[in-house]
Amino acid sequence: MRDVCIVGGGVAGLAASIFTARAGLDTLVVDSGESILARNASLENYPGFPDGIDARRYLQLTREQARNAGVEFELGRVTRAEPVVESDLEEGFVLETDGGEPLDTRRLVAASWSDSDYLVPLDVGRTKRGSKHFVNVDDGGRTAVDGVYAAGRLADEPHQTIVAAGHGAKVGLAVVHDSDANFYHDWVVPEGYFTGRGREVPPGCEEIDDEERRERDEQARETMLEAFAEPLDEEPTMHPSVEQD
C-alpha cells in the first residue's frame, strides 16, 4: 500500500508529490498523460522566468524534480475510488484504473482538473458550476473524507500556474502533517546554522558545507543549461473542441 497516491500529473499534483516524497512518504502519481498547462503557448507569469518559459519545458523540469525526490509515476486514468474497508477509512483507499491493476493508498490527493467523477463513491462533497465539478476543501485541501485531499483548480483555486503550484505544495504539507512523517521544514542550510547554536538538525532539514553547496550549485546549473540548450520541439496541445486539420 502506498502512503500517498496523487491523481493528476499537472502542476498541483507534481508540487504536492515533491513535498510528500521529500518527507519520506511513498508517493505515486497517476497521470493520464496530458496536463492542461501543455495547452499554453508560453508561460508568462511564473516568477523566476523574466521572459517566460515554454510550458512543456516547465512541466518536464517539474516532473524531473519530482523523480529526483523519489516520486514514482504510472500512466493511466483513475475511474473509481473507494475505501478498502467501508467502515474504517484508516485502512486506506483502493483506486480502480482503466486497464491497470487496482492501487491501494493510505491517502489520496485529487489534482485531476477537470475530472472528479471517480470521487463520487467517496462522497467528498462537490459543487457543480456549469459543466465542471469542484471539490469542497478546507484551507489545507482536506475534503469531508479523512485521508482524501484536493489540490489546484479542482479545489476551486484560480486558473494560474503559480497558484496551482503553491496550492499543491500546501496540500502536500497537509498530507505530511496528517501522516506519521517526522518533518519540519524543507531547508538546506549552511553548515552550523543549527548545530552552531547547539541544536540538532530538525527533520526535513540538512546542513551542508561550502564544498557541498558549490557542488550542488554546479549540478543545478548543468541541469538548467542542458534543459535550455536547444528549443523544445513539442507543440502546444490544442483544446479538444477545436477542429484540427
Side-chain angles (χ1 to χ4, degrees):
M1 178 175 284
R2 301 278 183 170
D3 292 323
V4 186
C5 186
I6 298 172
V7 182
V11 179
L14 290 174
S17 76
I18 290 168
F19 276 81
T20 57
R22 284 185 63 82
L25 299 178
D26 182 11
T27 302
L28 175 70
V29 171
V30 183
D31 182 14
S32 64
E34 180 190 2
S35 167
I36 290 180
L37 181 58
R39 301 176 185 176
N40 197 318
S42 179
L43 179 57
E44 298 289 325
N45 58 356
Y46 200 99
F49 300 100
D51 295 310
I53 181 175
D54 186 297
R56 285 143 299 283
R57 177 87 68 192
Y58 168 78
L59 283 169
Q60 285 181 357
L61 290 169
T62 308
R63 193 179 180 95
E64 180 178 350
Q65 185 177 1
R67 287 191 185 280
N68 290 346
V71 177
E72 295 184 18
F73 290 84
E74 180 168 320
L75 184 63
R77 188 175 69 87
V78 174
T79 57
R80 182 179 178 86
E82 58 188 7
V84 172
V85 178
E86 189 68 36
S87 60
D88 188 358
L89 296 180
E90 291 187 1
E91 292 296 320
F93 306 90
V94 58
L95 311 181
E96 295 180 5
T97 62
D98 53 354
E101 294 293 324
L103 303 169
D104 292 335
T105 182
R106 293 182 177 84
R107 289 177 172 80
L108 166 63
V109 177
S112 51
W113 179 253
S114 58
D115 176 24
S116 63
D117 288 347
Y118 61 92
L119 295 173
V120 170
L122 292 175
D123 195 22
V124 295
R126 301 192 305 162
T127 299
K128 184 176 182 180
R129 290 207 301 272
S131 61
K132 308 296 184 183
H133 285 88
F134 297 87
V135 177
N136 304 325
V137 298
D138 69 5
D139 289 342
R142 302 174 181 87
T143 71
V145 178
D146 288 344
V148 180
Y149 308 74
R153 186 61 180 150
L154 188 65
D156 205 10
E157 291 294 319
H159 219 330
Q160 297 290 331
T161 303
I162 183 64
V163 177
H167 191 253
K170 188 175 184 179
V171 173
L173 283 173
V175 174
V176 172
H177 291 157
D178 294 344
S179 73
D180 294 328
N182 191 10
F183 187 78
Y184 179 65
H185 282 303
D186 180 15
W187 282 358
V188 179
V189 297
E191 187 176 29
Y193 185 90
F194 292 107
T195 56
R197 294 180 284 149
R199 295 183 56 190
E200 293 185 359
V201 179
C205 298
E206 183 181 9
E207 287 188 354
I208 60 174
D209 60 23
D210 197 57
E211 181 180 358
E212 176 69 13
R213 179 185 66 81
R214 292 179 184 278
E215 288 178 358
R216 294 192 187 191
D217 178 65
E218 182 177 356
Q219 179 60 58
R221 286 186 288 108
E222 288 180 0
T223 297
M224 298 305 286
L225 287 171
E226 181 179 351
F228 290 96
E230 299 290 341
L232 196 65
D233 290 334
E234 292 184 33
E235 298 291 332
T237 304
M238 187 54 71
H239 192 281
S241 66
V242 178
E243 292 185 7
Q244 301 291 301
D245 293 334

